[in-house]
Amino acid sequence: MKRINNIARILFLAGLTTMTSCQKDFLDRKPLNLVSEETVWQDPALIKLSINEFYTFLNTGFTNTYLPGAITDDLQLIGSEERKLIGYLSGDFFNTTFPERNLWKDAYAQIRKVNYFIGRVEQTNVLNDTDRKTLLGQARFFRAFIYFQLFSNFKDVPLITRLQPIEEAEDKPLKVSHEDGMAFIAAELEKAATELPSTYSKEEWGRITKDAALAFLTRVLIWDASPLNNEDNSQQRWQKAADAASRVISGQAYDLQKEYTNVFLTKNIMTRPEVILESRYNGLKGERQHAFDKNNSSTGFGGKGINCPTQDLVDAYEMANGKAITEQGSGYDKAKPYVGRDPRFDKAILHNESLFKDRKIETFTGGLDMPRTNPTPTGYYIRKFIDEKFDYNKDASAGSSTNWVIMRYAEVLLNFAEAQNEATGPTQAVYEAVNAIRKRVNMPELAKDLNQEQMRVKIRNERRIELAFEDNIRYQDLRRWKAAETMLNKSVSGVTITKNNDGSFKYAPKSAGTRVFTTKNYWMPIPLVELGVNTNLNPQNPGW
């Protein structure tokens, strides 16, 4: 019988995803020995195990030392790390070190696996109808997830949806338009939702559910309705996105957790969770762990301080009274810039005199957290995602166990608010969605007399601070709004802090790094090697 020479293809169990160490789940099971392909497809239990590999396709920002937000105006890397993102920062996506240079190849390799799995599941007679539907629903979700990465980055790409014989797999497929690609992805998620259950048994918790598929659909549809793709500003497309988000909200499968910080640090919330999609870690040696805490704490705590929040992001946080720092009556004091701010500011960003672990942060010149080698270029460090109780200095081989959040309910609320505002203006439902997020952190409700443009500004800013550093949301937002050529085509800022003799501080702005983004950067170039193999991929994306 034909042997599988790559166990990862069929039975490799999600090496990057898991529950916490105190609870086993379907991804904690150990890999099996190599078995024949036909043995797998005659055994329902092995077929169910074989889908676990697809959960490794969920991206995680903890794989690299840099976060996805480092390519935006929200983060600046320390000097020794910045070169890793030079392709993004310079706008040269053909750079040989461009981080996404393998995205096309890897995505189509994953799609081939999913297509193979779907084809076999549809054909096998050893599964009952319930198991078949559940497996197909999960596979369809992952196929849609992968295709969304392709279409949202490369615009027009080939759409391959069935198991291909070897001779056919070498054909040169034509590209499908971005509009048709988005339609396929939306339909695929809708179909997956009809096949997936709303919940699983405890030992299977963490698999894709019906509601997760519908939630991810809101991200897809708001991308499709935005200015980059909706040049005619079709209100119908905006309303479609709003309706999809409204369906998730009314389904009540998810809710905002009481404490903002706990969303990222507390695991296994199984009743109306906020987290919808995540890559999971357990922190166990030799298993699933990462080095985010050590990589991003300051050197004063034995860390490396790699990803540093910018002054641009700091200034986006409102005052606790709901006014922007530049707004009359805000109470903002340049001599005490961190006092009286939106509570999410202190929960996400470490600034001078923040209380962290056992002492106050010192990012003033000569302070404990401003070393001579690789100091924070902005004057700030990340607090979000960091577990202050975790001591990475105690055991050098111990890793962090924080899960990487890909999507959560707060984003669904913001997707709804944005789409509904664009479709009809600021309705009561729009206010309720945004105010629910603000209420969680005791921020005041939005002013009741906002017009559509004013509400648009508020929603966009709310997305920036509520979802700061999460997934690749900021970069995709700036692209879909067609705001990237403005916001990412200039320097990002930081602050130089001097401690005065009387213990007070002087704050002076400084440039912390540069960004280049021109109109051609809205879409990645099709890899040249792919164009060489398949001339049907021409023409190349504009500007490349």
Side-chain angles (χ1 to χ4, degrees):
M1 289 183 287
K2 181 180 177 182
R3 292 279 172 178
I4 303 170
N5 58 17
N6 182 2
I7 192 63
R9 176 182 174 189
I10 297 297
L11 294 174
F12 181 78
L13 305 186
L16 294 178
T17 55
T18 185
M19 297 291 288
T20 58
S21 59
C22 62
Q23 178 182 329
K24 294 292 184 181
D25 77 345
F26 72 96
L27 295 178
D28 278 317
R29 299 168 187 159
K30 300 302 180 184
L32 305 178
N33 292 328
L34 287 172
V35 294
S36 72
E37 183 174 335
E38 291 310 314
T39 297
V40 170
W41 291 104
Q42 291 300 317
D43 187 333
L46 293 180
I47 295 173
K48 292 177 185 178
L49 283 177
S50 68
I51 200 172
N52 290 352
E53 183 197 358
F54 299 165
Y55 285 82
T56 67
F57 299 166
L58 291 173
N59 49 291
T60 170
F62 294 149
T63 297
N64 301 303
T65 53
Y66 55 83
L67 289 178
I71 65 178
T72 74
D73 50 353
D74 283 354
L75 290 170
Q76 174 64 34
L77 299 179
I78 58 174
S80 60
E81 293 284 327
E82 189 176 16
R83 64 179 177 271
K84 294 180 180 179
L85 287 178
I86 195 64
Y88 269 119
L89 303 183
S90 67
D92 179 13
F93 292 179
F94 275 141
N95 189 292
T96 55
T97 60
F98 184 58
E100 307 298 345
R101 62 190 180 279
N102 293 323
L103 174 58
W104 181 291
K105 178 185 69 176
D106 293 345
Y108 277 107
Q110 293 169 349
I111 287 167
R112 283 192 294 273
K113 293 179 181 181
V114 178
N115 285 343
Y116 173 84
F117 181 84
I118 290 175
R120 292 302 301 260
V121 168
E122 289 176 336
Q123 295 167 8
T124 186
N125 59 5
V126 302
L127 293 168
N128 62 48
D129 289 343
T130 299
D131 287 344
R132 191 191 311 275
K133 287 178 62 178
T134 302
L135 290 168
L136 287 174
Q138 291 175 80
R140 289 190 210 284
F141 171 85
F142 286 109
R143 185 162 64 178
F145 183 88
I146 300 163
Y147 267 123
F148 184 62
Q149 314 309 312
L150 283 167
F151 279 101
S152 65
N153 281 291
F154 297 103
K155 191 176 183 180
D156 304 336
V157 305
L159 182 61
I160 303 167
T161 61
R162 62 189 179 88
L163 176 63
Q164 294 176 299
I166 294 176
E167 61 275 11
E168 184 180 324
E170 297 180 359
D171 284 352
K172 299 178 179 179
L174 297 170
K175 290 189 293 187
V176 169
S177 72
H178 184 270
E179 183 177 1
D180 288 345
M182 288 297 106
F184 167 79
I185 293 167
E188 189 84 332
L189 290 169
E190 290 276 12
K191 186 169 184 178
T194 68
E195 298 170 321
L196 290 165
S198 295
T199 187
Y200 293 87
S201 60
K202 186 176 181 180
E203 60 271 16
E204 298 293 306
W205 185 75
R207 292 194 183 277
I208 301 299
T209 64
K210 166 186 176 180
D211 299 290
L214 294 177
F216 191 73
L217 177 61
T218 71
R219 184 183 285 188
V220 171
L221 292 180
I222 202 168
W223 167 269
D224 188 55
S226 297
L228 180 64
N229 307 302
N230 185 13
E231 295 181 355
D232 297 329
N233 195 29
S234 166
Q235 302 306 293
Q236 183 178 5
R237 288 163 78 168
W238 282 114
Q239 190 61 60
K240 185 177 181 180
D243 291 344
S246 180
R247 179 167 42 160
V248 176
I249 294 169
S250 62
Q252 298 185 344
Y254 304 106
D255 199 3
L256 296 175
Q257 297 305 299
K258 184 176 181 179
E259 170 57 44
Y260 179 72
T261 303
N262 287 349
V263 177
F264 314 102
L265 300 181
T266 303
K267 301 183 181 183
N268 299 340
I269 298 175
M270 299 178 69
T271 303
R272 296 193 68 187
E274 179 167 350
V275 175
I276 298 169
L277 295 171
E278 62 184 354
S279 288
R280 299 179 181 175
Y281 296 83
N282 61 13
L284 299 180
K285 298 177 184 178
E287 292 192 26
R288 292 168 287 276
Q289 58 183 11
H290 58 83
F292 180 83
D293 293 59
K294 183 174 180 63
N295 283 341
N296 290 283
S297 295
S298 82
T299 53
F301 292 93
K304 300 178 181 179
I306 292 175
N307 295 270
C308 302
T310 63
Q311 187 68 47
D312 310 65
L313 174 60
V314 170
D315 289 346
Y317 285 88
E318 296 174 345
M319 300 298 289
N321 60 14
K323 294 182 179 291
I325 63 172
T326 56
E327 195 173 346
Q328 187 175 3
S330 70
Y332 177 70
D333 184 351
K334 292 183 178 180
K336 299 178 180 180
Y338 312 131
V339 176
R341 304 294 290 273
D342 181 325
R344 287 170 292 187
F345 171 56
D346 278 319
K347 294 176 186 293
I349 297 174
L350 291 171
H351 56 80
N352 191 50
E353 296 212 295
S354 287
L355 184 60
F356 181 70
K357 294 199 173 186
D358 57 352
R359 66 170 173 82
K360 288 184 177 181
I361 293 291
E362 297 181 359
T363 51
F364 54 85
T365 302
L368 291 174
D369 303 297
M370 285 297 286
R372 291 186 177 183
T373 303
N374 282 327
T376 164
T378 65
Y380 303 99
Y381 292 100
I382 283 184
R383 185 176 216 148
K384 198 171 185 178
F385 314 132
I386 290 181
D387 182 357
E388 292 187 45
K389 297 178 182 179
F390 172 54
D391 185 2
Y392 44 80
N393 293 313
K394 186 176 181 180
D395 183 349
S397 64
S400 304
S401 63
T402 314
N403 290 342
W404 175 254
V405 175
I406 298 170
M407 189 176 196
R408 57 188 175 93
Y409 184 58
E411 182 189 339
V412 175
L413 290 174
L414 289 167
N415 289 347
F416 168 77
E418 179 180 345
Q420 194 62 63
N421 183 59
E422 296 298 336
T424 62
T427 64
Q428 181 60 31
V430 172
Y431 275 96
E432 289 174 358
V434 180
N435 286 335
I437 293 171
R438 295 170 67 85
K439 182 179 180 181
R440 194 238 302 263
V441 291
N442 296 315
M443 283 294 286
E445 295 185 349
L446 298 176
K448 298 183 183 300
D449 58 349
L450 299 178
N451 60 34
Q452 185 182 51
E453 172 58 29
Q454 291 169 329
M455 178 61 81
R456 179 184 299 124
V457 171
K458 287 291 186 181
I459 291 172
R460 290 185 177 187
N461 195 69
E462 196 72 24
R463 288 183 69 90
R464 185 178 191 183
I465 59 178
E466 172 68 21
L467 306 174
F469 319 135
E470 295 178 38
D471 206 48
N472 201 20
I473 294 175
R474 175 65 176 169
Y475 187 69
Q476 297 295 66
D477 280 352
L478 292 176
R479 288 180 60 222
R480 67 184 179 84
W481 294 332
K482 294 194 74 172
E485 59 195 286
T486 300
M487 302 300 294
L488 300 183
N489 205 28
K490 60 183 181 181
S491 297
V492 294
S493 302
V495 62
T496 297
I497 306 173
T498 304
K499 188 173 185 178
N500 299 319
N501 292 332
D502 62 0
S504 62
F505 298 95
K506 179 182 178 181
Y507 301 87
K510 68 175 181 179
S511 176
T514 60
R515 304 285 185 273
V516 175
F517 191 105
T518 58
T519 54
K520 71 177 183 179
N521 296 120
Y522 279 113
W523 301 105
M524 289 184 187
I526 298 171
L528 295 180
V529 65
E530 302 295 340
L531 287 172
V533 171
N534 181 4
T535 56
N536 287 332
L537 296 177
N538 283 301
Q540 176 64 279
N541 282 329
W544 296 105

